Amino acid sequence: MLQLFSEHILSKLSFLKNARLVVAISGGIDSVVLAHLCKKLGFDFALAHCNFSLRGDESDADEEFVIKLGEDINVEVFTQRFNTEAYAKEHKRSTQMAARELRYDWFKDLAAQLDFDYVLTAHHADDNLETFLINFTRGTGLNGLTGIPMINDNIVRPLLPFSRETIENYAKESDIKWRDDSSNSSRKYLRNKLRHEVVPILKEINPQLLDSFESTLDNLNDTADIVEESLNAVAKRAIVDINENGITYKVSEFKKVNNPKAYLFEMFKEFGFTEWNDIVNLLDAETGKYVKSNSYRLIKYREFLLLTEFPKGNYATKQIKESTVISYGLFGSLSFKEVKQIGEANNSVLFADKEKLKYPLEIRPWKAGDYFHPFGMTGKKRVSKYLKDEKLTPIEKENTWVLLSDEKIVWIVGRRGDDRFKVTDKTENILQIKLDK
Amino acid sequence: MLQLFSEHILSKLSFLKNARLVVAISGGIDSVVLAHLCKKLGFDFALAHCNFSLRGDESDADEEFVIKLGEDINVEVFTQRFNTEAYAKEHKRSTQMAARELRYDWFKDLAAQLDFDYVLTAHHADDNLETFLINFTRGTGLNGLTGIPMINDNIVRPLLPFSRETIENYAKESDIKWRDDSSNSSRKYLRNKLRHEVVPILKEINPQLLDSFESTLDNLNDTADIVEESLNAVAKRAIVDINENGITYKVSEFKKVNNPKAYLFEMFKEFGFTEWNDIVNLLDAETGKYVKSNSYRLIKYREFLLLTEFPKGNYATKQIKESTVISYGLFGSLSFKEVKQIGEANNSVLFADKEKLKYPLEIRPWKAGDYFHPFGMTGKKRVSKYLKDEKLTPIEKENTWVLLSDEKIVWIVGRRGDDRFKVTDKTENILQIKLDK
């Protein structure tokens, strides 16, 4: 295997030879073999071991094993202990996801801090095949079937073309010692079931299964490249605006393609949508219709689709004590200043009679039922009616905030002041409230 | 199942209700259940049974069973007997491929002759899953993973969403009788291995496997639509000419895309090429370099790729007795006529001194070593030199034929006559030889 590995490195990963490397090592057979191979090839590398504290003494014994290995082959070892369960609980992750995040975050930190060029992991061809089958049994799309990449940012997987069998044989021949992982998590259970019950039969059907699989992955990755390029081209034509409120797409570009759902799915899947037929129907829906995911909303507005974070309008009310600058929402910011006289009229600035204001003021998104006394008018008006009359887009409506004093609207921020708080002849102190854009 | 089936037809295949149908029936459980379901729904259908004569008495018993079933449910039955092995041998097909071709060809004939609208086959969700896994174990690309289509031309597969289990339960509950196929062909062996050893474990891992699989197929088919549209767009920009000699593509269009190999593969795979890296290298190769498959050749010519049938130039010599019209090659045709005087000079017409010609004449593609006496010149010239001087494309060269008399060139067909056979003052009989275009 040493020779195969060496040839593979020379032909595909020659950049590793002159780089500083970190080998991610669990103490299991794959990563231990990878460390030995790197040593044999004279690579400049250190070992990095995560102790996830998930298997008590066993986890600690793994760590000790890796430290000992580092001494034996004369290679520096970094270890890091994580409270994986606590992290998982705090971040609402599965234990496995938590371990994954912790591991990769730490590797990246380590690489950055210590000036390593690449992090090497020991994934091999059978891992790749098992992942494919796991994704397949769960239901997936092309992205779930394109395999683990050999190179991804600064993560490199040099063992990816090699089978578990090849690695095991090399370990035995070379009298390499490793630690077996006795854990039996559900992920492991699934993997083991595929590894021991499904894959052997597939290999019996086709003894060259891993080679066929490699060419299948090559083909599917090529296809994924075509899809990505095509999506980028459609996105480039469809997107007419990107700003802090969201992204605006021309509906007509989605209507030009043969299968709009296919493009809509690929373009919006990362935003967590699930109701794809509803999204297709949006193309012909009337203005104001929308489809939402947990965090986003896709809104039909005239001949556009607007993608915006949801629920932007659901921010809590924020109190304003006699302050100078306050921020609200995602991007909003107001500054307060006493001035001698009112300046030029402007949507971004309000001049109010300070004595009429009752602190703390409050700022919050407008809501149904809100009303105000439009500046210069005698009567009151519903905010919803005002926004409609002003022909605001749904996104603009969602991003409309109101400044309140004692539950009365002082300002529809950035749009219209309230007559009740305006500066008059009797005003003694003028407060200038400015929207920072 | 009747209700599920009925709902499925109403929602997805309602066009079947008012159509004339042929149900393809082997006598096995799936097709027999399909026939019963069609009867229950009051469809207008006949049964069509292929007897492939592959299992002797058993095949005949299947045929009798189907005829009897037709009588029982009062539906017309068409049967057709094939000598599958002979067809397979003659057409160099596997038995399975032969049966498939014979079956679909006959169904199409039947549908056309008897004015049927659709042919129904009994493929179900497990067939689809097994086919996916067969393709996967062999190595495939996206096209091998998109499943059997529910509707394909006039072939419709109404049972595609249903599992084998659902069909079996229905057959048992409804006391339906069918014939088991005892054949154990290699295809069946493979299928049975997947069916009995792999699929049950996958279903244990995910009891909703077939539902997940259906959504996977939906996703992959959507992706395939994107790929197809993208390929069509690139082909539209790249193809500058299509004629009987082949297709001409602009190299520059393949260089504009991110992953040329992906597009070249998708665009040329149907022509049987296998050396994809060589094809990618053609983009930068010098004029005249080519890659060939069994039947086609892709040639670099200046800033173009030329796809042409191969080996067009390898036609045998054809003898011409004193004939009026002869055809040669794929598209060539010459007509011979005695005329009183020579007409206007023209590449498509040659006037020769008939007395100088020695019958039978011959016509064949030019070959290295050929020489001739160009009309109007005194010396002789190698044909290869002549074609080069004329700046012919590689495809034009391959499609250059010569007319011979006693092994001497009379005409480089459609290009240049030979001085030795030209009409002179002494000519008594003028032969007009005309290239029909």
Side-chain angles (χ1 to χ4, degrees), chain A residues 129 132-133 136 145 194 197-217 219-220, chain B residues 127-146 186-195 197-199 202 213:
Chain A
L129 176 62
F132 181 103
L133 292 172
F136 172 70
L145 303 176
L194 291 166
E197 300 182 39
V198 172
V199 173
I201 301 165
L202 298 179
K203 287 184 177 173
E204 199 183 309
I205 289 171
N206 177 7
Q208 306 305 320
L209 181 73
L210 288 177
D211 293 336
S212 303
F213 178 58
E214 196 179 345
S215 78
T216 298
L217 290 185
N219 294 335
L220 294 179
Chain B
D127 288 330
N128 216 354
L129 176 62
E130 287 154 19
T131 300
F132 180 103
L133 292 172
I134 287 171
N135 291 343
F136 172 69
T137 55
R138 286 178 176 163
T140 187
L142 183 62
N143 288 350
L145 303 177
T146 48
S186 65
R187 176 89 174 180
K188 274 225 133 192
Y189 167 80
L190 184 57
R191 230 173 232 284
N192 279 329
K193 203 144 181 81
L194 291 166
R195 182 180 306 171
E197 300 182 40
V198 172
V199 173
L202 299 179
F213 178 59

Side-chain angles (χ1 to χ4, degrees), chain B residues 380-394:
Chain B
K380 66 183 185 183
K381 184 167 187 171
R382 273 181 294 119
V383 172
S384 61
K385 177 86 168 67
Y386 166 77
L387 296 176
K388 194 180 172 189
D389 292 347
E390 293 285 309
K391 296 193 169 38
L392 263 58
T393 68

Side-chain angles (χ1 to χ4, degrees), chain A residues 32 39 43 169 175 186 243 249 280 282 290 306 339 357 429:
Chain A
V32 170
K39 185 71 192 175
F43 282 178
N169 288 343
D175 211 16
S186 65
N243 63 38
Y249 303 80
V280 172
L282 272 191
Y290 63 84
L306 314 176
V339 293
L357 298 173
N429 292 303

Side-chain angles (χ1 to χ4, degrees), chain B residues 245-263:
Chain B
N245 290 328
I247 308 177
T248 306
Y249 303 81
K250 262 189 286 184
V251 165
S252 58
E253 291 298 333
F254 294 104
K255 290 192 162 190
K256 276 182 201 161
V257 298
N258 290 338
N259 182 345
K261 175 161 152 277
Y263 291 82

Side-chain angles (χ1 to χ4, degrees), chain A residues 216-234:
Chain A
T216 298
L217 290 185
D218 282 348
N219 294 335
L220 294 179
N221 277 290
D222 279 348
T223 301
D225 285 344
I226 294 179
V227 172
E228 192 191 347
E229 187 161 33
S230 175
L231 286 171
N232 287 341
V234 171

